[in-house]
Amino acid sequence: MRYIVVILYLTFTAALASTAGLKESYRHFAYLDENEKFQMYWTANDTLQMIDIAIAVQTTGWVGFGFSPYTGRMPGSDVVIGWVDNQGKIYLQDRFATGHTVPELDTQQDYTLFGGEETNGMTILKFKRKYVTGDSKDLAIEDGTTKLIWSYHTADPTAPNVFTKHEFQGTRSINLFNRIPEFDKPPLPSDVQYVDVLAKNITIPAQHTVYWCTAIKLPELNNTGHIIKIAPKLVKGNEALVHHILIYDCIFEDHFHGASHDCDSRNMPYGLRRCRGATVIGAWAVGGEPFSLPAHVGLPIGGSYGSRYVVMETHYDNPNLYSGIKDSSGMRFYYTSQKRQYDAGMLQIGQSVNPFHMIPEGQKTWQSAGYCPSYCTQRNLPATGINIIGSILHTHLVGRSLQVKHHRQKKELPFLAHNPHYDFNYQDIMFLKKERKVLPGDQMTLICGYDTSNRSKITVGGISTRNEMCLAYFLYYPIQELSACMSYIPYASFLPFLNSLRATGRIPPYNDYPSKAPYVWNVLENATFGQGKYLSTYRKLENELPINHWCAARGRRLLQEVCSKMLVELVSASYK
């Protein structure tokens, strides 16, 4: 038995040696499978509009790799199949999938093979292709989330066009472009420590949607240090229940440390309630991975001005109403006393979460906007502005795209963030290729695209995964008091329209004003707009009604709240 273990160890070590050069040759790396047997390395060259890829798979048979048309399924995919035969000859075939059969050979071979080998039980293939090939059988490689498919077999094909069905296969959503290169990720310093911000072994309630809050005191430091890496810590087996986690910087009395309650229950201490929706210092959602901050920034912790107390808000999504499941999920913060050049912060923008964020039923494409107006940035940003490093974009199940438009003195600048192929199950941080400056007086508009073609009732804004959100979280430096900049159309503006729907039976009967939870959700979630005049009226209202906005600082301290018809012009222009 000992000899078998030694052989396996030597084989594994040799395989690592075979791929060591790949990590040095390519800017990015990821495992495509949970067992870490299918490795992908790549470098994207925007100047040449070309992507160089290497795949290293623990097999001596054929391997398949490709781009799915944002479905994660095989039909419509743009794929390559490659292998190394017993004589050392390397094969790579550009193919396209029309169904769940062997992909067809493309008459235009747009993938260029430039290396490969089979060594130590591993097949390595190196190839490249243009972002856009001009071949109708190839998919364009674009910004935002990319859906990859992969497969492999333990044996080579019996002939170049004769394949045995794959033994292993899967899909992986990934961000190909907005990532920190592997060799730019700073090593952890010698004094690095970590603190786990976790739920306290709670029993997840047997409810569809629960937001659970946990108050935690962070380690005390003599001087302010920096959080330099954040990693999710999910309890194995609970991944399908933990939807997202937000960690808010807060100030509360020591005796609240360890408090753990349903965020919306009467048991939630008043001293902690104001922490929610305030200054975010950590954010994770479904599919998010550990990430390191760039070498020149860190999130301040401890000391005289860094985060000392936090409230962790965990969203549990439990549509099957499972009971008796314990959870201690959360995040791990890696921190150091070796301060970096800049203190970083997080800024939330978008549309306030409320049921009057209504998305009509039966719409293939519908857009909603949330924005941070010039009024807010003019009063709360320094003259030198702030530098945006990255973003986390967030909608729910019917979200399909997000983009953050950036205006300065009525001139539109390039997007601050853009994901045209949003995947609810992969909400990872997107680092900008180049940092972007936001100056006082700039305005940011978040536009969220939705697809409700499979829904027969309107979708409303809310905390459930079946409700919707339109939010963006920016990682930036240097840190400012401003932590949230949001907009909304006030309820009273919609009341005449809602009353007209009630008169025609398109909305359930209601007494008084349907303005408070949960009553308002029960009413609006069962309403319909149809495809006629009411839909047109609602579309017009969204573009013409006055819009409120609010700006807040640490502890949800309100900085400004303004209602201005002048702001409507900005939002209307953003839809064009």
Side-chain angles (χ1 to χ4, degrees), residues 186-197 216-231 281 291-293 297-303 306-308 310 331-340 343:
L188 296 177
S190 58
D191 72 334
V192 71
Q193 300 182 68
Y194 66 82
V195 55
D196 287 335
V197 180
I216 295 174
K217 182 179 180 180
L218 297 178
E220 293 187 5
L221 303 178
N222 292 329
N223 297 303
T224 302
H226 271 163
I227 297 169
I228 57 175
K229 181 179 179 180
I230 298 177
I281 64 168
F291 68 90
S292 298
L293 275 66
V297 299
L299 294 162
I301 180 175
S307 298
R308 299 175 58 203
V310 296
M331 292 188 199
R332 173 169 290 181
F333 288 164
Y334 294 83
Y335 64 95
T336 173
S337 296
Q338 300 178 36
K339 284 194 63 181
R340 294 178 170 181
D343 292 325

Side-chain angles (χ1 to χ4, degrees), residues 68-86:
S68 168
Y70 308 106
T71 63
R73 301 184 180 92
M74 190 172 173
S77 294
D78 169 14
V79 302
V80 291
I81 298 178
W83 67 96
V84 181
D85 69 15
N86 293 333

